[in-house]
Amino acid sequence: MTLDAKIPEGPLEKKWSRYKDHAKLVNPANRKKLSIIIVGTGLAGASAAASMAEQGYQVQSFCFQDSARRAHSVAAQGGVNAAKNYHNDGDSVYRMFYDTLKGGDFRSREANVYRLAECSLNLIDQAVAQGVPFAREYGGYLSNRSFGGVQVSRTFYARGQTGQQLLLGAYQSLMRQVSLGKVHLYSRYEMLDLVLADGKAKGIIARNLDTGVLERFAADAVVIATGGFGKIYYLSTLAMGCNGSAIWRAHRRGALMASPSWTQIHPTCLPQSGSYQSKLTLMSESLRNDGRIWVPKLENETREPNLIPEQERDYYLERRYPSFGNLAPRDISSRAAKERIDAGFGVGPQKNAVYLDFSKAINEQGKDKITEKYGNLFSMYKKITADDAYQIPMKISPAAHFSMGGLWVDYELMTTIRGLFAIGEANFADHGANRLGANSLLQACVDGYFILPYTLANYLSGELKSAKVGIDSPVFEEAERDVRNRIDRLVHIKGSQTADFFHKELGKLLYDKCGLSRTAAGLQEAIDGIANLKSAFYRDLLIPGEAGDMNAELEKAGRVADYLEIASLMCFDALKRNESCGAHFREEYQTPDGEALRDDENFCYVSAWEWPGDDKEPILHPEHLEFEFIKLSVRSYS
């Protein structure tokens, strides 16, 4: 298999314009003859569904939540990036492009990243027109703040609710199309398989979660917008329902998975307080604009933070990375926190946290200004911990968050299956080996609003004369039979352990062996351990109830079954990449001062993996990255 990224010719700044100028179009009168399935109603899925329906296509939209607006995009707090340079502090499209490439440790495509930065200019105008209440300066101008990995202010925000407000804008656009009859919205449906005909994506098999009935849905193209698989670690910042099943089912049908080992551990989460927890709470990275991160200089410190004098505090990010300080990128900040915690300088009841201190910012700016910027985050922190962060420092800790890896897509956001597109966090496209903060909301919106409407139309223009594939065709019957067999296998195990038990065991194994740091020996232990856990899962899983009813335990079990497969590929990918880059930190490959050591000669590629069948070694198809417009350099933030 030869991977073709379909990157347009020409100068970097002209590639997207050149693509749009030469892309094939569908006559407005013909668009109503074409149907599209979009799985997921987060920012990527909702914006894509609204945009395609607005153009006149018939759209079927699916989500497993009871409402499209409950998609996990609401949980993104801190902001969305755009290179508008309102602060006149040196920002530009090119600088944002370079910051994003560097932030991802030079492991993403130049063309995709430049397009992300270029389209960011349009997104803010789009969101303001939808009524998104971005923060504004006294004179009425939109306000900006900084995020990790940059030295300019390019992050637009709505207090600590940016994801929610952006999603409400996309949601109202989606529901307008629902009311016009151009989008048929299926809530409480979960995609369980992809249907192919002549090698093209032509539909899905979905389960009605309220009735347990399997249903067939046909279309001329399928778009997966189901987010990432960070919940594979069990304890993560993601909602309990987040999962990787849609992308994994597509992978089994032939869509390559790209760089699954590139998973991000977020540096500013609330620390785990006990084994009873099922998720962790994210505190926005925006807090690092004004909060200073430190640990005591003494090991096993027992004094309250306010009683520890300044000279006995280690502001370790400011010490190690003076140019960026507390705004060092997420992967670097998380590893630095873990190093201090592991060395015995952690704080809190379990000594598993560091301090995030706002005393200096409050003294300089006043409590009212800090409340204006972060008030809801401080309120959330107090509600969860009973501590007042205006009076004493917050306690934060690294936690699993975002998956940079996902389905491999080309410049058009199409996977290796014709007619199957993946957008937002479901694909690997823009972030490389580490995602900069506030680029997640940006990618989701840009993919749905500005990129997919061109690239999907370019594909659909060739489908007008193709024969329609109905839900009664043999390919649908075969796909449904496969799904039913998988479900029956799970239901009839009748063991003694719940799906949550296996998920917890998997999460602990992954966090220890394929988390913030990895070793060859540890990864091999993880691969062996996952195989043993998978064997136990299919021997001792307990699912109460029946397959043909509402059954939340069956839903969990199907997702955990897929997580076991994804986890194995994650560890295999990490084991085969003998370098450190971004969030992938192999302890064998580091500089003398403990920083990631890339190997551009041997590993300057995206690792795209083919599924070979059950219990067989995955097949690597590397997409070698070529850098025409920037020079590869050592990633330094000091």
Side-chain angles (χ1 to χ4, degrees), residues 8-11 13-23:
E9 299 291 334
E13 66 275 9
K14 298 292 185 182
K15 288 183 183 295
W16 181 228
S17 297
R18 180 179 177 85
Y19 178 89
K20 290 187 290 184
D21 289 344
H22 294 87

Side-chain angles (χ1 to χ4, degrees), residues 495-513:
S496 62
Q497 299 289 355
T498 65
D500 278 339
F501 168 81
F502 293 102
H503 195 176
K504 288 179 183 179
E505 292 295 308
L506 176 63
K508 185 178 186 305
L509 180 63
L510 280 180
Y511 193 82
D512 291 343
K513 306 296 184 182

Side-chain angles (χ1 to χ4, degrees), residues 77 231 234-238 265-285 287-288 293 334 337 341 347-358 376-389 392-401 511:
Q77 300 164 333
K231 191 61 185 172
Y234 190 73
L235 280 178
S236 79
T237 65
L238 279 74
I265 310 296
H266 198 290
T268 56
C269 303
L270 299 190
Q272 182 181 1
S273 58
S275 59
Y276 55 84
Q277 283 183 266
S278 58
K279 78 175 297 293
L280 299 173
T281 301
L282 173 68
M283 300 303 293
S284 170
E285 184 184 341
L287 294 170
R288 295 200 283 156
I293 296 172
S334 291
I341 291 169
V347 302
Q350 299 193 35
K351 301 297 183 183
N352 61 347
V354 299
Y355 287 127
L356 180 59
D357 193 334
F358 289 87
N376 63 309
L377 297 172
F378 277 60
S379 297
M380 182 172 71
Y381 182 82
K382 185 172 185 179
K383 184 175 182 179
I384 294 171
T385 68
D387 289 338
D388 186 350
I392 60 174
M394 290 183 179
K395 290 186 283 290
I396 59 170
S397 182
H401 179 58
Y511 193 82

Side-chain angles (χ1 to χ4, degrees), residues 170-195:
Y171 171 77
Q172 69 182 8
S173 298
L174 170 63
M175 296 310 294
R176 176 175 179 270
Q177 298 302 321
V178 171
S179 68
L180 292 173
K182 295 182 179 180
V183 174
H184 194 137
L185 180 60
Y186 296 90
S187 58
R188 296 283 296 155
Y189 277 76
E190 183 171 22
M191 171 186 163
L192 295 184
D193 213 341
L194 178 71
V195 180

Side-chain angles (χ1 to χ4, degrees), residues 549-604:
D549 301 323
M550 179 187 287
N551 193 331
E553 288 301 310
L554 175 59
E555 298 165 30
K556 291 181 186 177
R559 296 165 190 169
V560 173
D562 294 330
Y563 275 150
L564 288 164
E565 305 285 352
I566 297 171
S568 182
L569 185 59
M570 280 175 61
C571 295
F572 193 84
D573 182 47
L575 181 61
K576 296 301 181 182
R577 184 173 284 275
N578 293 322
E579 67 164 353
S580 291
C581 61
H584 170 64
F585 189 78
R586 283 282 296 273
E587 292 180 12
E588 305 96 322
Y589 307 101
Q590 56 181 300
T591 64
D593 55 353
E595 300 300 334
L597 183 62
R598 287 198 328 263
D599 182 351
D600 293 333
E601 183 176 350
N602 296 305
F603 294 97
C604 192

Side-chain angles (χ1 to χ4, degrees), residues 85 109 170 211 268 311 412 438 456 481 511 585 634:
N85 196 28
R109 295 189 198 120
T211 65
T268 56
Q311 65 271 19
E412 297 183 310
L456 186 50
R481 184 168 57 250
Y511 193 82
F585 189 78
V634 175

Side-chain angles (χ1 to χ4, degrees), residues 490-498 536-537 539-543:
L490 295 175
V491 170
H492 290 109
I493 295 173
K494 300 300 181 186
S496 62
Q497 299 289 355
T498 65
F537 176 84
R539 185 178 63 250
D540 201 25
L541 173 70
L542 171 64
I543 299 179

